[in-house]
Amino acid sequence: MADTPTRTPLRVSRSAMVASGNAIASLVGVEILRAGGHAIDAAVAIGAAMVVLEPERSHLGGDVFLQYWDAGARRAYALNGSGAAPSGATLEAMGETIPIHGIRAAAIPGAVDGWFTAQDNWGVMTASEVLAPAIALAEDGYAVPARQAALMETYKRLWETYPESAAALVPQNPRRGATLYQPLLANTLREIAKGGRAAFYQGDFAKKLVSYSNMNGGFFSLADLKNHRCEISDPIKTTYRDIVVTEQPPVSQGHLLLQMLNILEGFDMGALDPEGAEAVHLMAEAKKLAFADRLAYMGDTPDTPIEVLLSKAHAERQRRRINPKAAAARFSAGRLGDPANYGTDTTSFCVMDEHGNAVTMIQSVFHQYGCGVVIPGTGVLMNNRMTGFSLEPSHPNVLAPGKRPMHTLNTYMLLKDNDLWGIGGTPGGDIQVQTNLQVVSQIIDHGRDPQEAIESPKWRGADDGPGLMVEPSLPLDACYSLRKLGHELAVGAPWSGACASQVILKDLENDVLLGGSDPRVEGLALGY
C-alpha cells in the first residue's frame, strides 16, 4: 500500500536494528552491537538499562520473557524467566485476598536468571560488559522525563508507605529534568556483574530479601531463591495466511494472539478497511472468544489444552460463534474437541544483529512500581506478580507454592519461508495481545510497514463484556457503526492506547531492516 504519513519516521538500516521504549536504552543497545556484541548481548544490556531508566515498568525484582532467533541454526527458542510463588505461599497462608502492595504480593524474581541463562546460551560478551552501561546510568544518574515525574507525583501515598522505596526511586524534587541517582542499585548490579546469578540468588540480596520477608509477613526462603531456574523451550506457533507466527508458551498468554489470528484467518481481513467498523468488530469478537478460553483453561499445569486451543478446528468452531452484524455481550469458553481432528506496566524491546540473530524481549514488575517494596540496602524493586493467581481452589491458575502465575507477558516472531521475517511486542497487560493482533494483521493483511502499523488507531476491549475503548483517530463513521453493532464504545485521548509497540521487519526486496517504535512512549528505533 502507499506510504502513510507517520508521527515518527520509519527507521531503515542495512546491518542491525534496535527498537525500545526508551531512547537512551536504544542507544545502549546499538553501542553494544557496535562493540562486537550479538543480539542477546544488546538485549540484556537494554533490559538492565531499562531497570535504571524506567523502574516503574521493570526491575531486578521482576520477570522476563523472550524469543531468540538463532540465524546459524535457523531456529527459534522461547525463554520463560518468570518466578514461581514462594514456598510459604499456600492458600491458607495468603488468606482471602492477594494484596497489590507489600512483600506478600511478590513472586520469586526471575529476570536476573533469565538474563544470565540467555547470555550463557547465545551471548558472546561477559556480564561485566553488558551490565556496564546500566551501572554507569545508576551511578551517574539520568534526567527524569516529564511523564515519569508526573507518575512519581501520582504515587505519593505509596512513597509514604514505603519510604525506602521513595529514597531509591524518587529524586528529592521529582520534576522534569531532575537527576535520579541510584547508588544502591549500582552496587547490586556490580555484584551481579562480578559474581553472576549466584550473587543475586544466593548472596547479599537473597539474604536481605528473606530477612525483609520474614519481618513483614512474606513467604520467601533462601531455598526458594537458590533453586529458581528459568526454562528454555520451543515457541508455540500457528500459521496466518502464509506466515508462521510464533509466541511464548504457557504460562504466558501468548497463545491468545495465535488463537485470535486463527479465528480471523477465516475472514478476508485484507479486503476490509483496517480502520473500519467491520475489521474492528471482527477482531474485538475474536478477542472475547480467546479471552473466555483463557479464563477457563489456563494455568501452570500440564493439563492446559494448548494443542486443542491452537488447532484450526477449534478456531473454526469459535469463528462460527461470531455474529458479523452484532456484538456479543460476552462469550463462554469454547467447547474443546479432539486435538487431532490485567493497569499494568512493562517494557518491550527488539534487536536484530548483523549476523541475522534476533531477540524480542519483554520484562516487568507487573503493576506500576510492582508491589512497591524496594528491599533495604539493595535498590531492588520487587514485583507483585502473585496478583496474577486465582484463589479459587478448582481453577487451573490457583495459587500454590512453586507454581508460576499466568502471565500477560508475551512476544512474537514472524517467519516467512522458514526464515525470520519480523519480531515485535508491546507492554500493556491484557492489552498486549490485542495490540499485537492489530499490528500483525496490519503488516500481513495490509502490507503496512512497522511504523504505520504501530501508529494506526488502536482499540482495546474490556476483560469481559462489550466495552471497547478507541483512540480518537479512529474515523467517526467507524465509531458510529461500532455503536450500532452493540459495542459500548468510549473514546480516549489522543495517543491513549495502552501500548508501546516495538517492531523490526526485514524488507526482503531491498535487503534492509525496518524499525518502528511507538510514539505513545519515549522510544526510538535505531540502526546502522
Side-chain angles (χ1 to χ4, degrees):
M1 65 179 294
D3 290 344
T4 302
T6 56
R7 182 178 182 181
T8 301
L10 175 73
R11 307 297 178 183
V12 183
S13 67
R14 295 180 59 192
S15 300
M17 182 74 75
V18 168
S20 87
N22 186 287
I24 297 174
S26 293
L27 181 60
V28 165
V30 168
E31 288 177 342
I32 291 291
L33 293 175
R34 286 285 203 182
H38 284 196
I40 204 70
D41 302 304
V44 173
I46 292 169
M50 284 295 215
V51 164
V52 180
L53 296 165
E54 298 186 355
E56 70 277 9
R57 300 182 186 274
S58 68
H59 221 276
L60 302 184
D63 298 304
V64 64
F65 286 76
L66 66 86
Q67 287 189 78
Y68 176 75
W69 177 259
D70 185 328
R74 293 171 65 92
R75 180 181 172 185
Y77 297 87
L79 184 146
N80 176 350
S82 67
S87 55
T90 63
L91 280 175
E92 295 75 20
M94 182 62 76
E96 295 184 357
T97 61
I98 300 174
I100 292 177
H101 294 130
I103 196 64
R104 292 167 66 87
I108 297 167
V112 172
D113 181 61
W115 291 350
F116 275 91
T117 301
Q119 277 289 123
D120 290 344
N121 280 274
W122 306 302
V124 297
M125 284 184 157
T126 66
S128 294
E129 289 173 316
V130 298
L131 296 181
I135 293 170
L137 284 166
E139 200 156 53
D140 299 339
Y142 73 93
V144 172
R147 174 201 58 80
Q148 195 175 55
L151 190 65
M152 291 171 177
E153 193 69 18
T154 300
Y155 278 85
K156 269 185 174 180
R157 288 190 177 181
L158 186 68
W159 311 136
E160 291 170 0
T161 305
Y162 301 106
E164 181 87 26
S165 301
L169 303 174
V170 184
Q172 286 190 342
N173 184 8
R175 68 192 188 284
R176 185 191 68 185
T179 300
L180 177 59
Y181 300 97
Q182 300 172 79
L184 292 176
L185 177 59
N187 289 338
T188 299
L189 285 167
R190 194 174 287 109
E191 290 173 4
I192 295 169
K194 181 179 179 181
R197 70 173 307 283
F200 187 77
Y201 290 97
Q202 296 173 250
D204 189 54
F205 168 76
K207 294 171 186 175
K208 287 177 177 176
L209 168 57
V210 172
S211 175
Y212 181 91
S213 176
N214 290 339
M215 289 188 294
N216 291 275
F219 306 116
F220 288 96
S221 71
L222 289 172
D224 292 333
L225 297 163
K226 180 180 178 181
N227 296 331
H228 168 77
R229 292 295 185 277
C230 69
E231 298 175 352
I232 296 177
S233 64
D234 293 325
I236 56 175
K237 61 185 178 182
T238 194
T239 55
Y240 184 69
R241 317 305 180 195
D242 59 342
I243 304 300
V244 174
V245 184
T246 73
E247 257 287 3
Q248 305 285 161
V251 293
S252 166
Q253 64 180 30
H255 63 93
L256 296 180
L257 172 62
L258 306 186
Q259 285 186 252
M260 291 185 288
L261 288 171
N262 280 343
I263 293 170
L264 291 178
E265 193 172 35
F267 301 104
D268 188 2
M269 300 300 292
L272 303 178
D273 178 357
E275 276 88 51
E278 187 175 355
V280 175
H281 170 69
L282 292 174
M283 287 191 283
E285 297 302 281
K287 174 262 169 190
K288 293 177 194 174
L289 288 163
F291 272 60
D293 281 348
R294 180 199 69 169
L295 293 173
Y297 302 123
M298 295 309 299
D300 187 9
T301 165
D303 298 326
T304 299
I306 195 67
E307 184 180 352
V308 179
L309 294 173
L310 295 184
S311 69
K312 298 296 185 179
H314 184 68
E316 174 60 27
R317 288 192 294 271
Q318 295 288 69
R319 191 181 305 120
R320 289 197 297 264
R321 302 172 69 189
I322 294 177
N323 183 344
K325 302 298 183 183
R330 56 185 47 81
F331 287 108
S332 59
R335 178 179 60 83
L336 298 182
D338 184 341
N341 302 313
Y342 292 15
T344 57
D345 228 337
T346 302
T347 187
S348 177
F349 41 94
C350 303
V351 182
M352 283 193 188
D353 67 27
E354 61 190 53
H355 309 287
N357 306 306
V359 185
T360 172
M361 185 164 163
I362 188 166
Q363 57 188 42
S364 177
V365 288
F366 202 17
H367 293 84
Q368 286 181 335
Y369 293 110
C371 73
V373 172
V374 168
I375 303 304
T378 71
V380 176
L381 175 68
M382 295 297 291
N383 68 84
N384 66 342
R385 190 55 70 172
M386 298 280 279
T387 57
F389 279 116
S390 169
L391 295 180
E392 174 56 49
S394 62
H395 197 280
N397 189 41
V398 64
L399 169 67
K403 183 177 180 180
R404 288 180 166 102
M406 182 176 65
H407 269 260
T408 56
L409 303 183
N410 73 102
T411 66
Y412 62 86
M413 287 188 170
L414 307 177
L415 309 181
K416 181 181 285 190
D417 299 327
N418 297 315
D419 202 358
L420 183 68
W421 182 40
I423 56 176
T426 181
D430 281 341
I431 300 160
Q432 289 176 33
V433 288
Q434 302 179 56
T435 301
N436 290 340
L437 174 69
Q438 295 167 70
V439 170
V440 169
S441 175
Q442 295 218 4
I443 289 172
I444 295 176
D445 290 317
H446 301 284
R448 289 187 167 177
D449 69 43
Q451 199 63 43
E452 292 169 338
I454 287 169
E455 294 194 18
S456 65
K458 294 295 180 289
W459 58 266
R460 61 185 188 270
D463 286 352
D464 183 27
L468 203 62
M469 174 71 76
V470 301
E471 292 184 320
S473 51
L474 191 74
L476 195 58
D477 60 344
C479 294
Y480 284 137
S481 296
L482 286 166
R483 283 185 173 140
K484 288 180 180 178
L485 287 168
H487 294 279
E488 295 177 3
L489 205 69
V491 180
W495 301 102
S496 61
C499 53
S501 294
Q502 312 298 325
V503 179
I504 302 174
L505 193 69
K506 292 181 179 179
D507 179 342
L508 299 175
E509 182 179 347
N510 297 297
D511 194 25
V512 294
L513 302 178
L514 309 178
S517 185
D518 207 320
R520 297 169 183 86
V521 292
E522 298 139 344
L524 178 68
L526 192 62
Y528 61 89

